[in-house]
Amino acid sequence: MSRDARILFGLLLFNALSAVGGGIALMTGAIPPQASWVQHTDFSGLYFPGVILMAVVGGSSLIAALAMMKRAVAWQLSSILAGVVMVMWIVAEIASIRGFHFLQVIYFVTGALVIWFTPRTEPVST
């Protein structure tokens, strides 16, 4: 596996594990809820945002990492989609909670790096 492929795989796993862990923490109340987080949304609590974070954001990164590992057909598409999902999650989070935390920068960057490091075509083996 090339250096770029290892970086991409690591980013996908990092995003997957972080999103799944964060989603579970939101659903179980392990992260103390703040009313301002849902004040400007249609959510009454953090449970459903936690489900979305875990299933959609974490799930897309996990599926992309597994597809990459198995060299599934068009695994690059799942990787780019996972990166876009992460970037959009962060943009939507900032817009909806109308607040900022340094972790949002980290996850925005990891989502963008997933897109950057995903090869547009499968490398030719020689």
Side-chain angles (χ1 to χ4, degrees), residues 18-57:
S18 296
V20 168
I24 291 170
L26 288 175
M27 291 186 297
T28 62
I31 295 175
Q34 296 182 19
S36 64
W37 289 352
V38 293
Q39 180 180 5
H40 302 287
T41 70
D42 291 333
F43 298 110
S44 59
L46 296 177
Y47 184 82
F48 287 112
V51 170
I52 295 167
L53 179 60
M54 182 185 71
V56 177
V57 180

Side-chain angles (χ1 to χ4, degrees), residues 40-98:
H40 302 287
T41 70
D42 291 333
F43 298 110
S44 59
L46 296 177
Y47 184 82
F48 287 112
V51 170
I52 295 167
L53 179 60
M54 182 185 71
V56 177
V57 180
S60 66
S61 289
L62 182 60
I63 288 168
L66 292 172
M68 180 184 179
M69 187 175 67
K70 292 186 173 275
R71 293 253 190 251
V73 174
W75 68 265
Q76 298 96 331
L77 181 59
S78 67
S79 180
I80 290 172
L81 180 62
V84 169
V85 166
M86 177 61 82
V87 167
M88 294 307 296
W89 172 265
I90 295 302
V91 169
E93 179 180 298
I94 292 169
S96 66
I97 68 171
R98 300 179 186 177

